[in-house]
Amino acid sequence: MSDPAGPAAKKLFIKTYGCQMNVYDSQRMAEAMGAEGYVLTEDQAEADMVLLNTCHIREKAAEKLYSDLGRLKPLKAARPDLKIGVAGCVAQAEGAEIIRRMPLVDLVVGPQTYHRLPAMLRGEAPAILTDFPEEDKFDHLPERRATRRAPAAFLTVQEGCDKFCAFCVVPYTRGAEVSRPVARIVHEARDLVARGVREITLLGQNVNGWHGIGEDGREWGFGRLIRALGDIEGLDRIRYTTSHPNDMADDLIAAHRDVPQLMPYLHLPVQSGSDRILKAMNRRHTADQYLRLIDRIREARPDMMLTSDFIVGFPGETDQDHDATLRLIEQVGFGTAFSFKYSPRPGTPAYDRPEVESAVADARLQELQALLTRQQKATQQAMVGRTLRVLFEKSGRMTGQMVGKSDYLHSVFVDAPEARIGDLAKVRILETAANSLRGELSA
Ligand code: SAH
Ligand code: SF4
Ligand code: F3S
């Protein structure tokens, strides 16, 4: 146990579904288990413990858990001492039901209780923990210990959601909105930078709703937090996701003008372009308010690339509503976007509302995605000939090739045999591929 890399080390396999917050939580769970002598493995077959960190956002996402658990049956039968844990948002939503349906599961732990995972494993805490405890899990997790880290990292600053959009499970699976304190965030950011991180993406379900008491004793909003992080020497890039349009405060928009490290990229989900549907979704803004917000953001940062999320086939959506969404997309011009067919989720206000016919929703999704793909291609094409900064994150498949991200979050492949991971290079873009760009080092 004292030598985690030694032959006695136990192996932990983690599979992560869902959003970036789950990716972050998986890292923190791995660290918590590391303190118990577990090391990560990529090979499920050799694992002593399998942890599935799940997503509940759409029906398909939740069903994946059960098919993956089904596939684990032979492994558990061959090695009864194998521990199987379910974490994340399905764990929170379904709790004990998971073990009833799949008795091979040993532990069920929600997103706000996973700091107790080691105690659960030792039998010192219940095998099902899905409450929203008073204590802050971050106070009980081990310090992030890895000595050297990849150049781009996530940092959760806010969790939970009080918005209650009519279709969404997040307020129920993640709980009420909570902001982490400034000092903790700044400490974690500095620590990441000391370990080689040059880019931090601040995470939250409503990240721009973050607020707290600052180092000066005053109430800070998210824009002020970003300014404070901008003072950290060696932190070259700051990003954040996901934002709600109603929380885009003036100071945050101004930070996009004033803070050079803040990247010109904003994911701002709108879901629909129809006022009627926006109202039924409880989004609490109109299409026009969204468009005027985009204008103000682009005034502050003219090269801002915008991305979004859309739901098609929300209950009550007509052809006219769908056309309004297409018009909004045309007016904004998105760099890329995620679009989903509406999935009714138990426990949400829209669950019982009459559904749009499935084939109609499918056709609308296709039409919407075709438009978004055209915009994505045009955005990428417009990068050709430009010189962009690229942060190299890994080597490519070809010898001497590096892969990194531009300021606009495009993946860029570059022939750069001398370069190292973590270099922030100037790259001239030569051509675009399906989902990436190719470029050459520029002087
Ligand atoms: N907090 C973020 C989104 C979290 S969920 C926000 O407010 O934008 C990510 C995306 O999943 C949402 O933006 C929405 O487009 C999609 N989504 C959420 N619930 C859904 C459902 N029931 N059916 C289909 N898509 C859904
Ligand atoms: Fe879900 Fe709406 Fe909250 Fe986003 S703002 S997490 S879509 S309830
Ligand atoms: Fe899914 Fe939970 Fe994230 S439902 S999208 S993993 S907050």
Side-chain angles (χ1 to χ4, degrees), residues 16-23 25 53-58 61 88-90 111 159-160 168-171 173-174 205 345:
T16 307
Y17 316 68
C19 63
Q20 289 101 328
M21 195 151 295
N22 265 9
V23 174
D25 289 341
N53 193 12
T54 59
C55 174
H56 201 240
I57 202 82
R58 285 168 291 275
C89 291
V90 182
E159 279 198 272
C168 184
V169 296
V170 170
T173 63
R174 291 272 169 174
Q205 263 87 24
R345 307 303 291 131

Side-chain angles (χ1 to χ4, degrees), residues 5-20:
K10 291 192 197 160
K11 299 214 164 63
L12 171 66
F13 175 88
I14 304 186
K15 178 166 176 181
T16 307
Y17 316 68
C19 63
Q20 289 101 328

Side-chain angles (χ1 to χ4, degrees), residues 51-71:
L51 193 57
L52 304 174
N53 193 12
T54 59
C55 174
H56 201 240
I57 202 82
R58 285 168 291 275
E59 193 180 356
K60 266 192 197 148
E63 279 309 312
K64 254 189 226 150
L65 166 67
Y66 289 103
S67 53
D68 283 351
L69 284 174
R71 274 196 292 273

Side-chain angles (χ1 to χ4, degrees), residues 36-261:
E36 297 291 302
Y38 279 82
V39 293
L40 280 178
T41 173
E42 307 260 297
D43 179 6
Q44 185 169 282
E46 66 161 24
D48 299 285
M49 174 162 189
V50 171
L51 193 57
L52 304 174
N53 193 12
T54 59
C55 174
H56 201 240
I57 202 82
R58 285 168 291 275
E59 193 180 356
K60 266 192 197 148
E63 279 309 312
K64 254 189 226 150
L65 166 67
Y66 289 103
S67 53
D68 283 351
L69 284 174
R71 274 196 292 273
L72 278 170
K73 274 182 190 160
L75 199 61
K76 178 91 176 186
R79 298 201 355 240
D81 57 338
L82 171 71
K83 295 273 182 226
I84 297 181
V86 176
C89 291
V90 182
Q92 188 63 45
E94 298 190 357
E97 176 62 24
I98 296 173
I99 297 187
R100 259 197 298 277
R101 211 168 137 180
M102 287 285 177
L104 82 174
V105 173
D106 300 286
L107 305 169
V108 176
V109 64
Q112 304 308 348
T113 32
Y114 64 73
H115 56 292
R116 305 198 59 200
L117 201 51
M120 294 167 80
L121 210 61
R122 290 195 299 262
E124 293 161 11
I128 302 171
L129 270 182
T130 55
D131 49 341
F132 290 118
E134 284 296 309
E135 66 201 21
D136 179 352
K137 65 174 177 260
F138 293 114
D139 292 346
H140 298 270
L141 285 165
E143 285 262 329
R144 313 197 65 179
R145 298 189 317 167
T147 41
R148 199 72 196 159
R149 298 186 56 101
F154 291 141
L155 201 176
T156 292
V157 301
Q158 181 277 337
E159 279 198 272
C161 182
D162 298 338
K163 297 265 192 298
F164 292 93
C165 299
F167 49 81
C168 184
V169 296
V170 170
Y172 314 98
T173 63
R174 291 272 169 174
E177 276 182 26
V178 179
S179 297
R180 290 181 71 194
V182 176
R184 294 298 173 76
I185 296 168
V186 172
H187 173 80
E188 195 170 325
R190 282 188 194 285
D191 185 62
L192 288 169
V193 171
R195 296 169 201 281
V197 169
R198 301 187 72 172
E199 169 179 317
I200 292 180
T201 301
L202 306 171
L203 297 181
Q205 263 87 24
N206 267 306
V207 72
N208 57 344
W210 178 93
H211 59 93
I213 304 299
E215 288 150 337
D216 53 6
R218 299 199 182 165
E219 174 77 17
W220 282 14
F222 190 54
R224 184 67 189 80
L225 176 69
I226 286 174
R227 286 170 202 266
L229 295 173
D231 290 338
I232 296 178
E233 192 73 35
L235 179 56
D236 297 304
R237 285 174 156 185
I238 302 170
R239 305 182 187 275
Y240 59 92
T241 200
T242 297
S243 297
H244 193 287
N246 290 356
D247 288 327
M248 282 310 292
D250 291 343
D251 185 47
L252 175 56
I253 297 176
H256 275 285
R257 183 192 59 215
D258 302 336
V259 181
Q261 297 94 327

